[in-house]
Amino acid sequence: MTYAPDRLYEEVAYIAYHFHWPLDDLLDLEHRERQRFAHEIGMINQRIDRGR
């Protein structure tokens, strides 16, 4: 199964922005693992936003 390039760039950029991980490390992640990290970052950001 192929993965939409735009979605891949979006996930990689989102995680890289927050975690500062190298591109190669992010691309080595399995799809589900990358999605999970993106989800967890989103949850952290929501908690931070509620605390403002």
Side-chain angles (χ1 to χ4, degrees):
M1 179 177 170
T2 60
Y3 196 53
D6 289 342
R7 183 68 181 148
L8 177 62
Y9 277 106
E10 183 180 312
E11 285 179 4
V12 168
Y14 188 66
I15 297 168
Y17 175 81
H18 288 282
F19 287 170
H20 310 286
W21 291 355
L23 179 60
D24 288 341
D25 290 350
L26 293 170
L27 293 175
D28 284 344
L29 294 172
E30 294 291 328
H31 169 69
R32 287 185 189 271
E33 199 172 17
R34 212 173 25 252
Q35 280 186 315
R36 178 65 189 262
F37 278 114
H39 172 77
E40 293 300 326
I41 292 167
M43 298 302 292
I44 291 167
N45 285 334
Q46 285 180 7
R47 286 193 297 273
I48 290 169
D49 286 345
R50 284 194 300 263
R52 288 186 182 172

Short mmCIF file of all heavy atoms in Angstrom, two decimals:
data_model
loop_
_atom_site.label_atom_id
_atom_site.label_comp_id
_atom_site.label_asym_id
_atom_site.label_seq_id
_atom_site.Cartn_x
_atom_site.Cartn_y
_atom_site.Cartn_z
N MET A 1 0.85 -1.18 0.00
CA MET A 1 0.00 0.00 0.00
C MET A 1 0.89 1.24 0.00
O MET A 1 1.83 1.34 0.77
CB MET A 1 -0.89 -0.03 1.23
CG MET A 1 -1.79 1.15 1.34
SD MET A 1 -2.85 0.94 2.79
CE MET A 1 -3.56 2.53 2.83
N THR A 2 0.57 2.17 -0.85
CA THR A 2 1.34 3.42 -0.88
C THR A 2 0.69 4.44 0.03
O THR A 2 -0.49 4.34 0.36
CB THR A 2 1.44 3.97 -2.31
OG1 THR A 2 0.12 4.21 -2.78
CG2 THR A 2 2.16 3.00 -3.22
N TYR A 3 1.47 5.41 0.41
CA TYR A 3 1.02 6.43 1.34
C TYR A 3 1.05 7.76 0.62
O TYR A 3 2.03 8.07 -0.06
CB TYR A 3 1.96 6.42 2.54
CG TYR A 3 1.43 7.12 3.75
CD1 TYR A 3 0.19 6.83 4.27
CD2 TYR A 3 2.20 8.08 4.39
CE1 TYR A 3 -0.27 7.47 5.40
CE2 TYR A 3 1.74 8.72 5.52
CZ TYR A 3 0.49 8.41 6.02
OH TYR A 3 0.03 9.05 7.13
N ALA A 4 0.02 8.55 0.73
CA ALA A 4 -0.07 9.83 0.04
C ALA A 4 1.12 10.72 0.43
O ALA A 4 1.33 10.98 1.63
CB ALA A 4 -1.38 10.52 0.38
N PRO A 5 1.89 11.17 -0.55
CA PRO A 5 3.09 11.98 -0.25
C PRO A 5 2.78 13.23 0.56
O PRO A 5 3.53 13.57 1.48
CB PRO A 5 3.64 12.35 -1.61
CG PRO A 5 3.12 11.32 -2.54
CD PRO A 5 1.77 10.90 -1.98
N ASP A 6 1.66 13.89 0.28
CA ASP A 6 1.32 15.10 1.04
C ASP A 6 1.10 14.79 2.51
O ASP A 6 1.51 15.54 3.39
CB ASP A 6 0.08 15.77 0.46
CG ASP A 6 0.33 16.43 -0.88
OD1 ASP A 6 1.51 16.69 -1.21
OD2 ASP A 6 -0.65 16.70 -1.59
N ARG A 7 0.44 13.68 2.79
CA ARG A 7 0.19 13.29 4.18
C ARG A 7 1.50 12.92 4.88
O ARG A 7 1.71 13.25 6.05
CB ARG A 7 -0.80 12.11 4.22
CG ARG A 7 -1.16 11.67 5.60
CD ARG A 7 -1.97 12.72 6.33
NE ARG A 7 -2.27 12.22 7.66
CZ ARG A 7 -2.38 12.97 8.71
NH1 ARG A 7 -2.28 14.27 8.61
NH2 ARG A 7 -2.63 12.45 9.88
N LEU A 8 2.38 12.23 4.17
CA LEU A 8 3.68 11.87 4.73
C LEU A 8 4.47 13.12 5.10
O LEU A 8 4.99 13.22 6.21
CB LEU A 8 4.46 11.01 3.75
CG LEU A 8 5.88 10.61 4.17
CD1 LEU A 8 5.85 9.78 5.43
CD2 LEU A 8 6.56 9.87 3.05
N TYR A 9 4.52 14.08 4.20
CA TYR A 9 5.23 15.34 4.49
C TYR A 9 4.62 16.04 5.69
O TYR A 9 5.33 16.59 6.54
CB TYR A 9 5.18 16.28 3.28
CG TYR A 9 6.23 16.00 2.25
CD1 TYR A 9 5.90 15.40 1.04
CD2 TYR A 9 7.56 16.36 2.45
CE1 TYR A 9 6.86 15.15 0.07
CE2 TYR A 9 8.53 16.12 1.50
CZ TYR A 9 8.17 15.50 0.31
OH TYR A 9 9.12 15.26 -0.64
N GLU A 10 3.30 16.04 5.77
CA GLU A 10 2.61 16.69 6.88
C GLU A 10 2.99 16.05 8.21
O GLU A 10 3.33 16.75 9.17
CB GLU A 10 1.11 16.61 6.66
CG GLU A 10 0.29 17.31 7.71
CD GLU A 10 -1.20 17.18 7.43
OE1 GLU A 10 -1.60 17.41 6.28
OE2 GLU A 10 -1.94 16.83 8.37
N GLU A 11 2.93 14.73 8.28
CA GLU A 11 3.28 14.03 9.52
C GLU A 11 4.73 14.25 9.90
O GLU A 11 5.04 14.53 11.06
CB GLU A 11 3.03 12.53 9.37
CG GLU A 11 1.59 12.13 9.42
CD GLU A 11 1.42 10.64 9.23
OE1 GLU A 11 2.42 9.90 9.13
OE2 GLU A 11 0.26 10.20 9.17
N VAL A 12 5.63 14.11 8.93
CA VAL A 12 7.06 14.26 9.19
C VAL A 12 7.37 15.68 9.66
O VAL A 12 8.09 15.88 10.63
CB VAL A 12 7.88 13.86 7.95
CG1 VAL A 12 9.33 14.29 8.10
CG2 VAL A 12 7.79 12.36 7.72
N ALA A 13 6.80 16.67 8.99
CA ALA A 13 7.05 18.06 9.38
C ALA A 13 6.53 18.35 10.78
O ALA A 13 7.19 19.03 11.58
CB ALA A 13 6.40 19.01 8.36
N TYR A 14 5.36 17.83 11.09
CA TYR A 14 4.73 18.04 12.40
C TYR A 14 5.60 17.46 13.52
O TYR A 14 5.88 18.13 14.52
CB TYR A 14 3.35 17.39 12.37
CG TYR A 14 2.48 17.66 13.57
CD1 TYR A 14 2.01 18.94 13.83
CD2 TYR A 14 2.08 16.63 14.40
CE1 TYR A 14 1.17 19.18 14.91
CE2 TYR A 14 1.24 16.86 15.48
CZ TYR A 14 0.80 18.14 15.72
OH TYR A 14 -0.03 18.37 16.79
N ILE A 15 6.04 16.23 13.33
CA ILE A 15 6.86 15.58 14.35
C ILE A 15 8.24 16.24 14.43
O ILE A 15 8.75 16.49 15.53
CB ILE A 15 6.99 14.08 14.07
CG1 ILE A 15 5.61 13.41 14.14
CG2 ILE A 15 7.95 13.41 15.06
CD1 ILE A 15 5.58 11.99 13.60
N ALA A 16 8.83 16.55 13.29
CA ALA A 16 10.15 17.18 13.28
C ALA A 16 10.10 18.53 13.98
O ALA A 16 11.01 18.88 14.73
CB ALA A 16 10.64 17.34 11.85
N TYR A 17 9.05 19.29 13.74
CA TYR A 17 8.90 20.60 14.37
C TYR A 17 8.87 20.49 15.89
O TYR A 17 9.50 21.27 16.59
CB TYR A 17 7.61 21.26 13.87
CG TYR A 17 7.31 22.57 14.54
CD1 TYR A 17 7.95 23.74 14.12
CD2 TYR A 17 6.41 22.66 15.59
CE1 TYR A 17 7.69 24.95 14.74
CE2 TYR A 17 6.14 23.86 16.21
CZ TYR A 17 6.77 25.01 15.78
OH TYR A 17 6.52 26.20 16.39
N HIS A 18 8.16 19.51 16.40
CA HIS A 18 8.00 19.38 17.85
C HIS A 18 9.12 18.61 18.53
O HIS A 18 9.48 18.93 19.66
CB HIS A 18 6.65 18.73 18.17
CG HIS A 18 5.49 19.65 17.92
ND1 HIS A 18 5.13 20.65 18.77
CD2 HIS A 18 4.65 19.72 16.87
CE1 HIS A 18 4.10 21.31 18.28
NE2 HIS A 18 3.79 20.76 17.12
N PHE A 19 9.64 17.59 17.88
CA PHE A 19 10.65 16.74 18.51
C PHE A 19 12.07 17.00 18.02
O PHE A 19 13.02 16.51 18.61
CB PHE A 19 10.32 15.27 18.29
CG PHE A 19 9.16 14.74 19.09
CD1 PHE A 19 8.65 13.48 18.82
CD2 PHE A 19 8.59 15.45 20.12
CE1 PHE A 19 7.60 12.96 19.55
CE2 PHE A 19 7.53 14.94 20.86
CZ PHE A 19 7.04 13.69 20.57
N HIS A 20 12.20 17.70 16.90
CA HIS A 20 13.52 18.01 16.33
C HIS A 20 14.30 16.75 15.97
O HIS A 20 15.51 16.70 16.12
CB HIS A 20 14.33 18.90 17.29
CG HIS A 20 13.58 20.09 17.76
ND1 HIS A 20 13.33 21.17 16.94
CD2 HIS A 20 12.98 20.36 18.94
CE1 HIS A 20 12.62 22.07 17.62
NE2 HIS A 20 12.40 21.59 18.83
N TRP A 21 13.60 15.75 15.50
CA TRP A 21 14.24 14.51 15.07
C TRP A 21 14.73 14.64 13.64
O TRP A 21 14.11 15.33 12.83
CB TRP A 21 13.28 13.34 15.15
CG TRP A 21 12.91 12.92 16.54
CD1 TRP A 21 13.41 13.40 17.71
CD2 TRP A 21 11.94 11.94 16.89
NE1 TRP A 21 12.82 12.78 18.77
CE2 TRP A 21 11.91 11.87 18.30
CE3 TRP A 21 11.11 11.12 16.16
CZ2 TRP A 21 11.08 11.01 18.99
CZ3 TRP A 21 10.28 10.25 16.85
CH2 TRP A 21 10.26 10.19 18.24
N PRO A 22 15.82 13.98 13.29
CA PRO A 22 16.32 14.01 11.91
C PRO A 22 15.35 13.34 10.94
O PRO A 22 14.63 12.40 11.31
CB PRO A 22 17.63 13.23 11.96
CG PRO A 22 17.95 13.02 13.39
CD PRO A 22 16.69 13.20 14.17
N LEU A 23 15.35 13.82 9.72
CA LEU A 23 14.45 13.30 8.69
C LEU A 23 14.58 11.79 8.51
O LEU A 23 13.57 11.08 8.44
CB LEU A 23 14.71 14.02 7.36
CG LEU A 23 13.87 13.57 6.18
CD1 LEU A 23 12.39 13.77 6.45
CD2 LEU A 23 14.31 14.29 4.92
N ASP A 24 15.79 11.30 8.45
CA ASP A 24 15.99 9.86 8.25
C ASP A 24 15.33 9.03 9.36
O ASP A 24 14.75 7.98 9.10
CB ASP A 24 17.47 9.50 8.15
CG ASP A 24 18.09 9.95 6.84
OD1 ASP A 24 17.34 10.20 5.87
OD2 ASP A 24 19.32 10.06 6.79
N ASP A 25 15.43 9.52 10.60
CA ASP A 25 14.81 8.80 11.71
C ASP A 25 13.29 8.78 11.56
O ASP A 25 12.64 7.77 11.83
CB ASP A 25 15.18 9.43 13.05
CG ASP A 25 16.63 9.22 13.42
OD1 ASP A 25 17.32 8.43 12.74
OD2 ASP A 25 17.08 9.85 14.39
N LEU A 26 12.72 9.89 11.14
CA LEU A 26 11.28 9.96 10.97
C LEU A 26 10.80 9.07 9.83
O LEU A 26 9.76 8.42 9.93
CB LEU A 26 10.84 11.42 10.72
CG LEU A 26 11.04 12.34 11.91
CD1 LEU A 26 10.82 13.78 11.50
CD2 LEU A 26 10.12 11.95 13.04
N LEU A 27 11.55 9.05 8.75
CA LEU A 27 11.17 8.22 7.61
C LEU A 27 11.34 6.74 7.90
O LEU A 27 10.68 5.90 7.27
CB LEU A 27 11.97 8.63 6.37
CG LEU A 27 11.66 10.02 5.83
CD1 LEU A 27 12.60 10.35 4.68
CD2 LEU A 27 10.21 10.13 5.40
N ASP A 28 12.19 6.40 8.86
CA ASP A 28 12.39 5.00 9.24
C ASP A 28 11.24 4.46 10.09
O ASP A 28 11.10 3.25 10.24
CB ASP A 28 13.70 4.83 10.01
CG ASP A 28 14.91 4.85 9.10
OD1 ASP A 28 14.76 4.70 7.87
OD2 ASP A 28 16.03 5.04 9.62
N LEU A 29 10.44 5.36 10.66
CA LEU A 29 9.31 4.92 11.48
C LEU A 29 8.26 4.23 10.61
O LEU A 29 8.03 4.62 9.46
CB LEU A 29 8.66 6.10 12.19
CG LEU A 29 9.48 6.84 13.24
CD1 LEU A 29 8.74 8.09 13.68
CD2 LEU A 29 9.78 5.95 14.42
N GLU A 30 7.61 3.24 11.18
CA GLU A 30 6.45 2.63 10.51
C GLU A 30 5.33 3.67 10.47
O GLU A 30 5.25 4.56 11.33
CB GLU A 30 5.99 1.40 11.29
CG GLU A 30 6.99 0.27 11.29
CD GLU A 30 7.15 -0.36 9.92
OE1 GLU A 30 6.17 -0.39 9.15
OE2 GLU A 30 8.27 -0.82 9.63
N HIS A 31 4.45 3.52 9.51
CA HIS A 31 3.34 4.46 9.34
C HIS A 31 2.53 4.63 10.63
O HIS A 31 2.28 5.74 11.08
CB HIS A 31 2.44 3.98 8.20
CG HIS A 31 1.14 4.69 8.10
ND1 HIS A 31 1.04 6.00 7.71
CD2 HIS A 31 -0.11 4.27 8.35
CE1 HIS A 31 -0.23 6.35 7.73
NE2 HIS A 31 -0.94 5.33 8.10
N ARG A 32 2.14 3.52 11.24
CA ARG A 32 1.34 3.59 12.47
C ARG A 32 2.09 4.28 13.61
O ARG A 32 1.50 5.00 14.41
CB ARG A 32 0.89 2.21 12.90
CG ARG A 32 -0.18 1.63 12.02
CD ARG A 32 -0.65 0.30 12.61
NE ARG A 32 -1.53 -0.40 11.70
CZ ARG A 32 -2.85 -0.23 11.68
NH1 ARG A 32 -3.41 0.60 12.53
NH2 ARG A 32 -3.60 -0.90 10.83
N GLU A 33 3.37 4.03 13.68
CA GLU A 33 4.19 4.65 14.73
C GLU A 33 4.25 6.16 14.53
O GLU A 33 4.12 6.93 15.48
CB GLU A 33 5.59 4.04 14.68
CG GLU A 33 6.39 4.22 15.92
CD GLU A 33 7.68 3.44 15.87
OE1 GLU A 33 8.12 3.00 14.78
OE2 GLU A 33 8.27 3.28 16.94
N ARG A 34 4.43 6.58 13.29
CA ARG A 34 4.48 8.02 12.97
C ARG A 34 3.12 8.67 13.28
O ARG A 34 3.06 9.75 13.86
CB ARG A 34 4.85 8.20 11.49
CG ARG A 34 5.63 9.43 11.22
CD ARG A 34 6.15 9.54 9.80
NE ARG A 34 5.41 8.82 8.80
CZ ARG A 34 5.83 7.72 8.19
NH1 ARG A 34 7.01 7.20 8.47
NH2 ARG A 34 5.09 7.13 7.28
N GLN A 35 2.05 7.98 12.93
CA GLN A 35 0.72 8.49 13.23
C GLN A 35 0.51 8.63 14.74
O GLN A 35 -0.09 9.60 15.19
CB GLN A 35 -0.36 7.57 12.67
CG GLN A 35 -0.63 7.74 11.23
CD GLN A 35 -1.81 6.90 10.81
OE1 GLN A 35 -1.93 5.73 11.18
NE2 GLN A 35 -2.69 7.47 10.02
N ARG A 36 1.00 7.66 15.48
CA ARG A 36 0.83 7.69 16.94
C ARG A 36 1.58 8.87 17.54
O ARG A 36 1.05 9.57 18.41
CB ARG A 36 1.33 6.37 17.55
CG ARG A 36 1.25 6.30 19.06
CD ARG A 36 -0.21 6.35 19.53
NE ARG A 36 -0.29 6.49 20.96
CZ ARG A 36 -0.49 5.48 21.80
NH1 ARG A 36 -0.63 4.26 21.35
NH2 ARG A 36 -0.55 5.71 23.09
N PHE A 37 2.81 9.12 17.09
CA PHE A 37 3.55 10.27 17.59
C PHE A 37 2.83 11.57 17.25
O PHE A 37 2.72 12.48 18.08
CB PHE A 37 4.98 10.29 17.05
CG PHE A 37 5.93 9.42 17.81
CD1 PHE A 37 6.50 8.32 17.20
CD2 PHE A 37 6.25 9.68 19.13
CE1 PHE A 37 7.38 7.50 17.89
CE2 PHE A 37 7.13 8.87 19.84
CZ PHE A 37 7.69 7.77 19.22
N ALA A 38 2.32 11.68 16.03
CA ALA A 38 1.58 12.88 15.63
C ALA A 38 0.35 13.07 16.51
O ALA A 38 0.05 14.19 16.95
CB ALA A 38 1.20 12.80 14.15
N HIS A 39 -0.35 11.97 16.78
CA HIS A 39 -1.53 12.04 17.65
C HIS A 39 -1.14 12.50 19.06
O HIS A 39 -1.81 13.37 19.63
CB HIS A 39 -2.20 10.67 17.70
CG HIS A 39 -3.30 10.60 18.70
ND1 HIS A 39 -4.54 11.14 18.48
CD2 HIS A 39 -3.34 10.07 19.95
CE1 HIS A 39 -5.30 10.95 19.54
NE2 HIS A 39 -4.58 10.30 20.45
N GLU A 40 -0.10 11.92 19.61
CA GLU A 40 0.32 12.28 20.96
C GLU A 40 0.76 13.74 21.05
O GLU A 40 0.45 14.42 22.03
CB GLU A 40 1.44 11.36 21.45
CG GLU A 40 0.99 9.92 21.65
CD GLU A 40 -0.13 9.77 22.66
OE1 GLU A 40 -0.18 10.52 23.65
OE2 GLU A 40 -0.97 8.87 22.45
N ILE A 41 1.44 14.23 20.04
CA ILE A 41 1.82 15.65 20.01
C ILE A 41 0.56 16.51 20.01
O ILE A 41 0.48 17.51 20.74
CB ILE A 41 2.69 15.97 18.79
CG1 ILE A 41 4.06 15.30 18.92
CG2 ILE A 41 2.86 17.48 18.61
CD1 ILE A 41 4.88 15.30 17.63
N GLY A 42 -0.43 16.11 19.21
CA GLY A 42 -1.69 16.86 19.18
C GLY A 42 -2.36 16.89 20.54
O GLY A 42 -2.88 17.93 20.96
N MET A 43 -2.34 15.77 21.24
CA MET A 43 -2.95 15.71 22.58
C MET A 43 -2.20 16.61 23.56
O MET A 43 -2.82 17.30 24.38
CB MET A 43 -2.98 14.26 23.08
CG MET A 43 -3.81 13.32 22.23
SD MET A 43 -5.53 13.81 22.04
CE MET A 43 -6.09 13.57 23.70
N ILE A 44 -0.89 16.60 23.50
CA ILE A 44 -0.08 17.48 24.36
C ILE A 44 -0.44 18.94 24.08
O ILE A 44 -0.64 19.74 25.00
CB ILE A 44 1.42 17.23 24.15
CG1 ILE A 44 1.81 15.85 24.69
CG2 ILE A 44 2.26 18.34 24.79
CD1 ILE A 44 3.19 15.39 24.25
N ASN A 45 -0.51 19.29 22.81
CA ASN A 45 -0.83 20.69 22.43
C ASN A 45 -2.22 21.08 22.90
O ASN A 45 -2.42 22.21 23.34
CB ASN A 45 -0.71 20.87 20.92
CG ASN A 45 0.72 20.94 20.47
OD1 ASN A 45 1.61 21.31 21.22
ND2 ASN A 45 0.97 20.56 19.23
N GLN A 46 -3.18 20.17 22.87
CA GLN A 46 -4.52 20.46 23.35
C GLN A 46 -4.51 20.72 24.85
O GLN A 46 -5.17 21.66 25.33
CB GLN A 46 -5.49 19.32 23.03
CG GLN A 46 -5.90 19.25 21.61
CD GLN A 46 -6.85 18.10 21.33
OE1 GLN A 46 -7.31 17.41 22.25
NE2 GLN A 46 -7.13 17.88 20.06
N ARG A 47 -3.76 19.90 25.59
CA ARG A 47 -3.68 20.11 27.04
C ARG A 47 -3.04 21.46 27.36
O ARG A 47 -3.47 22.17 28.27
CB ARG A 47 -2.92 18.97 27.71
CG ARG A 47 -3.71 17.68 27.79
CD ARG A 47 -3.08 16.66 28.71
NE ARG A 47 -1.77 16.21 28.30
CZ ARG A 47 -1.51 15.22 27.47
NH1 ARG A 47 -2.49 14.53 26.92
NH2 ARG A 47 -0.27 14.87 27.18
N ILE A 48 -2.01 21.81 26.61
CA ILE A 48 -1.34 23.10 26.83
C ILE A 48 -2.31 24.24 26.53
O ILE A 48 -2.40 25.20 27.30
CB ILE A 48 -0.07 23.21 25.96
CG1 ILE A 48 0.99 22.25 26.48
CG2 ILE A 48 0.45 24.64 25.90
CD1 ILE A 48 2.19 22.08 25.55
N ASP A 49 -3.05 24.12 25.42
CA ASP A 49 -4.00 25.18 25.05
C ASP A 49 -5.10 25.34 26.09
O ASP A 49 -5.52 26.47 26.37
CB ASP A 49 -4.64 24.87 23.69
CG ASP A 49 -3.69 25.09 22.52
OD1 ASP A 49 -2.64 25.74 22.72
OD2 ASP A 49 -3.98 24.60 21.42
N ARG A 50 -5.56 24.26 26.68
CA ARG A 50 -6.60 24.35 27.73
C ARG A 50 -6.06 25.03 28.98
O ARG A 50 -6.83 25.64 29.73
CB ARG A 50 -7.13 22.96 28.06
CG ARG A 50 -8.07 22.41 27.02
CD ARG A 50 -8.83 21.21 27.56
NE ARG A 50 -7.98 20.12 27.96
CZ ARG A 50 -7.68 19.06 27.21
NH1 ARG A 50 -8.19 18.96 26.01
NH2 ARG A 50 -6.88 18.12 27.66
N GLY A 51 -4.77 24.94 29.21
CA GLY A 51 -4.16 25.52 30.40
C GLY A 51 -3.90 27.02 30.29
O GLY A 51 -3.51 27.65 31.26
N ARG A 52 -4.12 27.57 29.14
CA ARG A 52 -3.85 29.01 28.96
C ARG A 52 -4.91 29.85 29.58
O ARG A 52 -6.02 29.63 29.66
CB ARG A 52 -3.75 29.35 27.46
CG ARG A 52 -2.48 28.83 26.89
CD ARG A 52 -2.34 29.30 25.48
NE ARG A 52 -1.11 28.71 24.95
CZ ARG A 52 -0.74 28.77 23.70
NH1 ARG A 52 -1.49 29.41 22.83
NH2 ARG A 52 0.36 28.25 23.28
#
